[in-house]
Amino acid sequence: MDYDYDLIVIGAGPGGSMAAKTAAEEGLDVLLIEKRQEIGAPVRCAEGVSREALEEFFEIEKSWIAREVVGAVIYGPDGSSIKMAARMAGNEVGFVLERKIFDRALARMAAKAGAEVVVKTTATSMKRINDGIEVELKRMGESYKLRTKLVIGADGIESRVGKWAGIDTTLKIGEIESCIQYLMAGIDFDPDYTHFWLGNCYAPGGYIWLFPKGDGVANVGIGVLPTKTREGPKHHLDAFIKERYPDGEIIEIVAGGVPVSGGLESAVADNVMLVGDAARHADPMTGGGIANAIKGGYFAGKVAKEAVEAENFSREFLKRYDELWKGDFGETLRKNKIIQKKILKMDDETLAKLIRSVSGYDLEQISLRRLMIELIKKNPRILWDLRDLFM
Ligand SMILES: Cc1cc2nc3c(=O)[nH]c(=O)nc-3n(C[C@H](O)[C@H](O)[C@H](O)COP(=O)(O)OP(=O)(O)OC[C@H]3O[C@@H](n4cnc5c(N)ncnc54)[C@H](O)[C@@H]3O)c2cc1C
């Protein structure tokens, strides 16, 4: 059979661009398509990512970074707080990106590596033909079909590629954080830290964040679980802003969902791999998904090369991709899903007690794992069932 491409990547977020870049560098004939007319815009993200997550794959460019922070401050429902150093605080703390620039830079890297990049083009369906896949695309009202050996679905939370391939990507209502965020100007905060407010009084089933972007400018947003509140996220965020930043100006609004199911059991089917939010790879505890989308894209791009070399596009062969992401961040997804479920059951008093119990610690030095062990030791009645995850 004649193929137009070795690989078509659907969606040019961080996951798709990384997959296209990696596969093109490996010599595959790659097409990267994006339905929006501009890669990276509109932004649906708080833009936080750790230095390590980027350094692992890229020479970091200054223009990607709006602000570098030294750590995170976490506020409990009673006002008590803890401060953590960036390297201890996980995948979302370190840099606040300009995703409009960053996402485009990744797509440019894919193009430089040899991938063909096409915007304003939507994948509308696909079907298996012989050993390959026929993808139907729509570009400015015109439909056309292309044949490929492999498809990487990097089409985000609203992914349809998985469903087309027969992978069950269904999210229950309690597995989607419903988010809204304002880019605010003229507000007062410590710009060296990202700030998180926890508790049902602020954000039922989620948290409020403030990620500094510049002088008096920050992404201020919220994620809530629809199973935990009858009000939408805007109601809760507006109440918070009215109290804390009544004089701030809102200069941009974004809304979106984050999958917090904790990852698919398997992200592959015959001829198809899913990466990033499409594979539900966002962290269920923090909602952060940039780092895992980049890693997943890298692994999928490498496995695409192996599959083309072996001329084997079967699900069995592509399970190599499942092994790679599971061996890297799969265990963290699993653990953090357990912790998220535990936190969801806590009332605000219990949460406040936990935060108070470690508020005197030097969290510049202590790792997240060590912090969890201390929390369990200090609060055995509340956290004893988590001991096997950390001790
Ligand atoms: C409000 C909010 C705040 C967030 N804050 C953070 C944060 O601070 N840090 C963090 O790490 N994560 C954050 N996230 C999550 C993060 O944005 C995602 O996990 C990340 O963007 C996932 O990358 P991706 O490449 O998988 O998908 P996306 O970035 O969603 O990209 C998917 C792309 O596919 C395109 N697409 C979809 N369907 C088609 C189709 N049929 N044909 C062609 N193209 C298609 C879309 O237009 C889109 O460009 C946040 C999410 C939200 C909603």
Side-chain angles (χ1 to χ4, degrees), residues 292-306:
N292 289 351
I294 292 171
K295 272 191 182 167
Y298 175 77
F299 292 141
K302 289 280 185 196
V303 172
K305 155 76 173 173
E306 290 173 23

Side-chain angles (χ1 to χ4, degrees), residues 10-16 33-36 40 44-49 91-92 99 103 121-124 154-161 164 179-181 209 211 222 254-259 275-278 282 287-291 293:
I10 300 174
I33 66 150
E34 168 54 50
K35 72 176 177 187
R36 297 190 270 180
R44 281 187 297 179
C45 188
E47 307 177 286
V49 74
N91 261 336
E92 289 72 42
R99 274 200 64 180
D103 282 24
T121 303
T122 306
T124 52
D155 47 340
I157 185 166
E158 75 263 51
S159 177
R160 296 178 68 201
V161 173
W164 293 334
C179 306
I180 188 160
Q181 173 180 278
W209 64 81
F211 287 8
I222 187 170
V254 300
V258 178
V275 307
D277 281 9
I290 300 170

Side-chain angles (χ1 to χ4, degrees), residues 152-153 155 159 161-162 167 169 264 267-268 272-276 278-279 281 321:
I152 291 180
D155 47 340
S159 177
V161 173
I167 303 171
T169 54
L264 296 174
V268 301
V272 176
M273 291 177 270
L274 300 179
V275 307
H281 281 169
Y321 166 61

Side-chain angles (χ1 to χ4, degrees), residues 3 13 20 30 34 38 79 144 192 204 209 250 253 261 264 300 304 346:
Y3 295 101
V30 181
E34 168 54 50
E38 272 180 72
Y144 58 104
D192 289 332
W209 64 81
I250 296 169
I253 300 178
S261 57
L264 296 174
M346 284 178 196

Side-chain angles (χ1 to χ4, degrees), residues 54-76:
L54 297 190
E55 264 177 359
E56 191 178 345
F57 294 104
F58 313 112
E59 297 266 329
I60 299 167
E61 284 177 29
K62 268 192 183 155
S63 62
W64 304 351
I65 314 296
R67 179 93 205 171
E68 187 167 6
V69 296
V70 297
V73 191
I74 300 165
Y75 306 91

